Amino acid sequence: MTEYIIAFLISLIVSVSTTPFIMRFAKYVQAIDVPEDRKIHAYIMPRLGGLSIFTGVAAGLWYLRPPYIEEVMPFAVGACLIILVGVLDDCFNIRPLAKLTGQVAAASVVAFSGILIDSLTIPFIGFVEFQFLSIPLTIIWIVAITNAVNLIDGLDGLAAGTSIISLSSLLVVALMQDQVLAAMLAVIYIGASLGFLVFNFYPAKIFMGDSGSLFLGYSIAVISIIGLLKNLTIFTMFVPIIILAIPILDTLLAISRRMHTGIGLMTADKLHFHYRLLQMGFSHRGAVLIIYMLSGVFGFAAIVFSTNSIWLSVILGLLVLVSLQIIIEVTDYKNRRHPLMSLFRRHE
């Protein structure tokens, strides 16, 4: 446990220390976010904050030097690919298809290395192997979570803080299930993300940009596979989904909303959950803290769910469903009739 604490502190300190330099570097190379109608910040902001998180993670890994090289190497190669895609987007605003191609490439490195969602244990049926479906299923999971975290990066400190809460939940579950590598990685990422959050919480001095949101999304997805999804049971299948409930649900609602209105799936809008909270009158800081609180509820529910405690899981499951209903009501209160809404509302 002592080495985990030291790794956390190293990642935190390196991330905090490098962020001011990255801020200046981002301005120098014009990797900046300019205010526009879809955005809520009033001033030009440096991006490339993902590099701060990346350096903190690299320092933590250098200290811990996890022995699981057959899993760490493909994870690291994919992380380098995804951070490169994010940096290119922060600097040059590359096309959505190019970003998606980079994400699929990073996910493919992981999947073809053998880090897979490869089986499911179903009560009364037994052990089921996904076989040839394992690789596409793993790639879809990684790309989906990568984009889910990317989509919630709309307010100061939101993506970083939500990722910290999700990673903390993953850490607890990994420790409970003796998943050493997942715990090591979670500790490092928590430290690096927290160090960056010092500069990113409202009012932010730097944005993480796609270099940060894609990097965190990819990493959370892969850590969840290493720690929870390699050999699924009905219970463990829902743990990472519950932990990431807010970004996953926000992504599903965005896809459904865009399909319903006929706009492109890659077209950005201001109808995400965090924007709706602002439109309802919450302050910037208040909206972020509300989502932190909801993420904490989901994270705690996932931890309890992972214990296979039936009654507690049922109670918390109901709480999760109520919370999801609230999110849907808030996010789509002006768009009640698109297909996904009908799953959660009574027919009028």
Side-chain angles (χ1 to χ4, degrees), residues 243-254:
I243 288 173
L244 297 163
I246 289 181
I248 289 174
L249 181 62
D250 199 28
T251 301
L252 291 174
L253 287 169

Side-chain angles (χ1 to χ4, degrees), residues 21-344:
F21 296 100
I22 294 198
M23 289 167 58
R24 289 195 286 271
F25 176 72
K27 292 176 182 177
Y28 177 75
V29 300
Q30 290 296 293
I32 53 177
D33 206 314
V34 179
E36 57 179 68
D37 290 342
R38 192 182 62 82
K39 299 175 181 178
I40 61 174
H41 61 282
Y43 306 100
I44 292 175
M45 295 289 291
R47 293 190 284 198
L48 289 178
L51 290 178
S52 302
I53 302 172
F54 182 79
T55 55
V57 169
L61 279 173
W62 176 83
Y63 170 75
L64 278 180
R65 299 182 186 180
Y68 307 89
I69 193 69
E70 69 281 356
E71 292 179 313
V72 172
M73 281 305 296
F75 172 77
V77 171
C80 290
L81 278 175
I82 207 76
I83 197 77
L84 176 61
V85 171
V87 168
L88 288 174
D89 190 59
D90 287 346
C91 293
F92 305 110
N93 292 314
I94 62 178
R95 294 182 178 181
L97 183 59
K99 283 200 296 184
L100 181 61
T101 301
Q103 294 167 31
V104 171
S108 297
V109 169
V110 173
F112 283 100
S113 74
I115 302 174
L116 295 167
I117 304 170
D118 54 14
S119 62
L120 173 65
T121 302
I122 304 174
F124 309 113
I125 295 177
F127 187 76
V128 177
E129 291 188 3
F130 295 129
Q131 297 180 352
F132 66 92
L133 293 176
S134 296
I135 288 177
L137 184 61
T138 301
I139 292 172
I140 290 169
W141 170 258
I142 295 173
V143 171
I145 299 305
T146 299
N147 283 285
V149 175
N150 182 241
L151 283 176
I152 65 167
D153 184 27
L155 299 180
D156 296 356
L158 181 56
T162 304
S163 296
I164 290 169
I165 294 168
S166 299
L167 286 161
S168 298
S169 303
L170 284 171
L171 172 62
V172 173
V173 175
L175 290 173
M176 289 168 57
Q177 298 184 0
D178 199 28
Q179 296 289 342
V180 176
L181 179 57
M184 285 181 172
L185 292 171
V187 164
I188 291 168
Y189 273 88
I190 292 168
S193 301
L194 192 58
F196 173 73
L197 188 60
V198 171
F199 296 89
N200 184 237
F201 193 71
Y202 183 82
K205 298 178 178 65
I206 182 173
F207 291 163
M208 68 165 55
D210 276 12
S211 58
S213 58
L214 295 180
F215 178 60
L216 283 176
Y218 160 86
S219 302
I220 291 171
V222 180
I223 292 170
S224 70
I225 295 173
I226 292 172
L228 298 172
L229 295 178
K230 280 185 176 180
N231 296 297
L232 284 168
T233 66
I234 289 296
F235 275 95
T236 58
M237 177 176 66
F238 291 106
V239 172
I241 296 173
I242 295 172
I243 288 173
L244 297 163
I246 289 181
I248 289 174
L249 181 62
D250 199 28
T251 301
L252 291 174
L253 287 169
I255 292 171
S256 178
R257 180 171 63 244
R258 292 166 189 177
M259 290 178 65
H260 181 66
T261 56
I263 65 175
L265 292 180
M266 299 291 186
T267 304
D269 60 37
K270 292 186 71 172
L271 299 176
H272 294 289
F273 181 48
H274 46 276
Y275 289 131
R276 290 298 196 188
L277 289 174
L278 294 179
Q279 292 167 12
M280 291 175 66
F282 290 98
S283 67
H284 193 126
R285 189 190 300 264
V288 171
L289 291 176
I290 287 172
I291 297 176
Y292 283 1
M293 180 185 67
L294 287 171
S295 297
V297 169
F298 291 134
F300 178 72
I303 291 167
V304 173
F305 210 73
S306 70
T307 65
N308 295 353
S309 176
I310 300 296
W311 287 110
L312 274 176
S313 296
V314 168
I315 293 169
L316 285 170
L318 293 173
L319 180 60
V320 166
L321 289 175
V322 170
S323 300
L324 292 176
Q325 174 69 21
I326 292 170
I327 293 171
I328 290 171
E329 294 287 345
V330 171
T331 304
D332 286 278
Y333 72 96
K334 289 183 179 178
N335 189 18
R336 302 286 190 188
R337 298 185 181 278
H338 67 66
L340 193 61
M341 286 293 292
S342 64
L343 297 177
F344 296 89

